[in-house]
Amino acid sequence: MEIAIIGTGYVGLVSGAIFSNVGHNVVCIDLDLAKIASLNNGKTDIYEPGLQEKIQSALLAKTLTFSTEISAASKADAIIIAVGTPENLNGNADLTFIYKALDDVAKIIKKNALIVIKSTVPPGTCTQIARYLKTKELQNDVVMNPEFLREGSAINDFSNPQRIVIGCSCENAADRMRQIYTSWQQVTFLVTDTSTAEMIKYASNTFLATKIAFINQMADICNHISADVEMLSYGLGLDSRIGSQCLKVGPGFGGACFPKDIKALITFSKEQQIDAGILEAALSANQKRKFTMLNKIKHLLGAPLSGKTIGVLGLAFKANTDDVRYSPAIEIIKLMLAEGGNIAAFDPKAIESAKKVLPNICYTQNAEDVFKNADCVVVLTEWHEFTLLNFQALLKITNNPLIIDLRNILDPAKLKGYWHHRL
Ligand code: UGA
C-alpha cells in the first residue's frame, strides 16, 4: 500500500521505518526542513536502538522517502497522523497540530484514502474530526489506531505488539487497516468504535502509571519497616492477575506520555463531571515522589545540600533513550540545585538533550568522573552500564563513599564496605 505519515516523532518515525520494511511504500512528512534533510541521509536526531538501521535499509530499498511537502501524500491510500498532542495550560491534550495536519491533508487527500489517527487523542476526538472533515466536504473514513510502543524498545514493541487496536465505524475501513498490518498475522486485532479505541490508549497508559505510583508507595512502606520491596515486587508480579511489568520501583514515572496522559484524562473527566479520584491520587503521588527522593538524599547526606557535590548517574527519563522530557532525574537535579547543591552528572546518551534544560551544571566525560570528590553519588536512570562500574575503586575517589541507588540496579554485593542505599 501507499502510506503517508505526518509527523516524524517517535511514533511517526518508527511506524514509517517498520511499514516501509514490510512491503509498503511510505513517505514520512514533517515541516522541519533540517530534520527531513538529515532523515533523507539516513540519520535520526533521536537515539532509539535499531531505528537508524531500519530507516537506512528502507531508504536503500527505496520504499521510504521523507518530505516537507504535504503534496507527497496525494497518492496515499492511508494517511497516518502521528503529530504531538502536548499538554496545554489546562492539562488537556493540545490538538492544534492534529487540526493543522488535517487542514493540510484536506487539500490533497485522495477520495477513498483512510485517515488514521495514531497520536494519543482524548475520547471523542475522531468523531469530532469526522465532523470537521464533513465541513470541508470530505467523506474519508477516520480510524483510531493507538500506538503502544515504548521509547528505548520502540522497534521491537512496534514489530511485536501485544494487540493492534482499530477504532472505526465501518468494516471496509477495518479491512483496509488489516491490509496495512498484513505482516502481523499472529497478533490479536481488536476492532471497536473510535471512542473506545481512544479510551484503550488512555486507560492503558494511566493504568500502568498508577501501577508504578502504587509500587513506589509500597517501597516507602517497605523502607519504613525494613522489608524488601524488590522481593515484594517479584512476589506481587507472580500473580497473573497483577503481572510483573511496571512494578519496578524508582524516582517516579516520567517521559512524554504517562505524566501528560494522566493529566489529560483527569482534565477530561473533570470537564465531564466524572470522578477520576484514582488517577488524581496516582498523579499526586508521582508529583510528591521527587520531593521524597530529595528528602532521602538530604537525610542520607546530612542536610543541607549547600556546598555539597552530588554526582549524578543518569539524566534520561529511563534507560536506552536520550529523551529527558519530564525526566525524574532532571526534576530531582533542579530541586538539589535549588537547595544549593553542586551537580556533576553523566548519562551515556542524554547529555546533549539535558544541556538544553540544565545548561549550568557540570557534565562529565564518563561515569567514573562523577565520583571525583563527590559527597555522594545518586543513580537516577537505570542504564545497564552503570551496574558494571568498579565501585570498590570509584568510591575511593569520592569525598564520602555514599551511593544512593534510586533505581535499585546496583548489586549490594559489589558495594560491600561502603554506604549504599536502595529504595
Ligand atoms: C509509555 C507506555 O509504556 C507505552 O506503551 C506507550 O506507547 C507510550 O508511553 C506512549 O504513550 O507513547 P514510555 O513513556 O516510552 O512508554 O516508557 P515506559 O517504559 O512506559 O516508562 C515510562 C516511565 O515509567 C519512565 O519514567 C520509567 O522509568 C517509569 N517506569 C516504568 C517505572 O518507574 N517503573 C516501571 O516498572 C516501568
Side-chain angles (χ1 to χ4, degrees):
M1 279 173 89
E2 299 291 325
I3 297 176
I5 300 177
I6 320 277
T8 56
Y10 282 91
V11 171
L13 215 44
V14 173
S15 308
I18 303 291
F19 284 144
S20 57
N21 270 279
V22 297
H24 299 301
N25 286 320
V26 180
V27 56
C28 289
I29 301 168
D30 200 293
L31 295 173
D32 187 333
L33 278 166
K35 191 172 188 181
I36 292 298
S38 113
L39 284 166
N40 267 323
N41 287 324
K43 289 219 157 55
T44 57
D45 62 345
I46 49 175
Y47 172 73
E48 180 60 43
L51 176 60
Q52 198 155 279
E53 292 79 351
K54 286 276 175 206
I55 289 175
Q56 287 168 354
S57 73
L59 282 172
L60 265 179
K62 297 198 183 332
T63 53
L64 178 62
T65 51
F66 294 95
S67 176
T68 52
E69 300 296 327
I70 193 68
S71 55
S74 62
K75 293 198 185 87
D77 304 307
I79 300 184
I80 299 177
I81 299 189
V83 294
T85 51
E87 180 187 336
N88 72 13
L89 289 176
N90 306 326
N92 277 316
D94 182 346
L95 301 181
T96 311
F97 297 125
I98 295 268
Y99 279 95
K100 162 86 178 73
L102 288 167
D103 287 342
D104 291 344
V105 162
K107 292 177 198 147
I108 52 89
I109 190 167
K110 269 200 326 200
K111 198 165 168 226
N112 292 320
L114 274 184
I115 295 181
V116 181
I117 308 295
K118 241 193 194 303
S119 308
T120 301
V121 292
T125 303
C126 285
T127 309
Q128 283 161 13
I129 288 176
R131 275 192 214 124
Y132 182 71
L133 293 172
K134 286 213 174 91
T135 67
K136 293 177 175 280
E137 295 180 358
L138 291 173
Q139 306 290 331
N140 301 69
D141 285 321
V142 178
V143 174
M144 179 67 203
N145 171 217
E147 181 47 55
F148 301 101
L149 64 80
R150 290 161 298 175
E151 289 180 27
S153 53
I155 295 291
N156 186 51
D157 289 348
F158 193 95
S159 307
N160 304 292
Q162 297 188 349
R163 76 290 209 199
I164 293 167
V165 175
I166 303 299
C168 57
S169 50
C170 68
E171 199 39 50
N172 179 279
D175 281 345
R176 283 183 283 158
M177 289 305 293
R178 281 193 186 90
Q179 284 170 36
I180 293 181
Y181 284 104
T182 191
S183 301
W184 283 259
Q185 292 289 330
Q186 308 303 321
V187 181
T188 303
F189 203 83
L190 178 66
V191 179
T192 179
D193 59 90
T194 54
S195 295
T196 307
E198 289 158 341
M199 266 309 284
I200 290 173
K201 172 68 189 184
Y202 272 102
S204 302
N205 272 9
T206 57
F207 181 80
L208 296 172
T210 305
K211 219 174 155 189
I212 297 165
F214 174 86
I215 194 67
N216 284 338
Q217 220 158 61
M218 293 302 112
D220 291 344
I221 300 173
C222 282
N223 191 251
H224 194 68
I225 54 168
S226 297
D228 181 347
V229 70
E230 288 299 317
M231 203 48 94
L232 165 76
S233 172
Y234 178 65
L236 261 180
L238 288 175
D239 185 330
S240 62
R241 291 170 303 174
I242 298 173
S244 61
Q245 301 221 12
C246 283
L247 282 183
K248 188 93 193 73
V249 291
F253 58 78
C257 305
F258 285 174
K260 159 180 87 77
D261 292 348
I262 200 164
K263 274 188 217 156
L265 196 53
I266 291 170
T267 310
F268 178 84
S269 307
K270 274 197 185 140
E271 284 170 358
Q272 309 300 320
Q273 289 165 2
I274 300 161
D275 179 39
I278 293 175
L279 302 182
E280 285 174 31
L283 177 63
S284 153
N286 198 59
Q287 284 167 338
K288 285 182 198 146
R289 185 97 187 129
K290 53 181 179 279
F291 297 102
T292 311
M293 299 297 100
L294 172 74
N295 288 335
K296 202 178 273 290
I297 296 166
K298 280 166 66 176
H299 172 72
L300 291 163
L301 192 51
L305 294 187
S306 162
K308 304 249 164 60
T309 298
I310 300 115
V312 168
L313 289 173
L315 296 158
F317 83 97
K318 63 174 196 174
N320 299 323
T321 179
D322 59 358
D323 195 345
V324 298
R325 289 176 291 173
Y326 291 92
S327 169
I330 300 288
E331 291 174 0
I332 293 166
I333 290 173
K334 282 185 179 166
L335 293 179
M336 294 195 289
L337 287 171
E339 300 247 344
N342 302 314
I343 307 291
F346 176 76
D347 187 288
K349 297 287 174 195
I351 289 182
E352 288 315 310
S353 8
K355 278 181 181 168
K356 293 179 191 143
V357 285
L358 281 176
N360 296 324
I361 65 166
C362 163
Y363 294 98
T364 62
Q365 298 284 331
N366 52 52
E368 284 81 0
D369 284 351
V370 151
F371 288 76
K372 274 186 199 155
N373 304 320
D375 292 298
C376 82
V377 172
V378 185
V379 178
L380 285 171
T381 310
E382 74 283 21
W383 287 97
H384 176 65
E385 64 181 77
F386 295 156
T387 65
L388 307 175
L389 293 169
N390 181 352
F391 293 101
Q392 294 292 334
L394 288 171
L395 284 164
K396 290 199 177 88
I397 61 167
T398 58
N399 272 344
N400 179 34
L402 164 64
I403 184 146
I404 306 172
D405 179 5
L406 298 182
R407 291 281 187 172
N408 284 10
I409 54 166
L410 306 183
D411 179 359
K414 286 194 187 165
L415 288 150
K416 269 211 178 99
Y418 292 100
W419 197 12
H420 168 213
H421 185 87
R422 289 158 68 81
L423 289 174

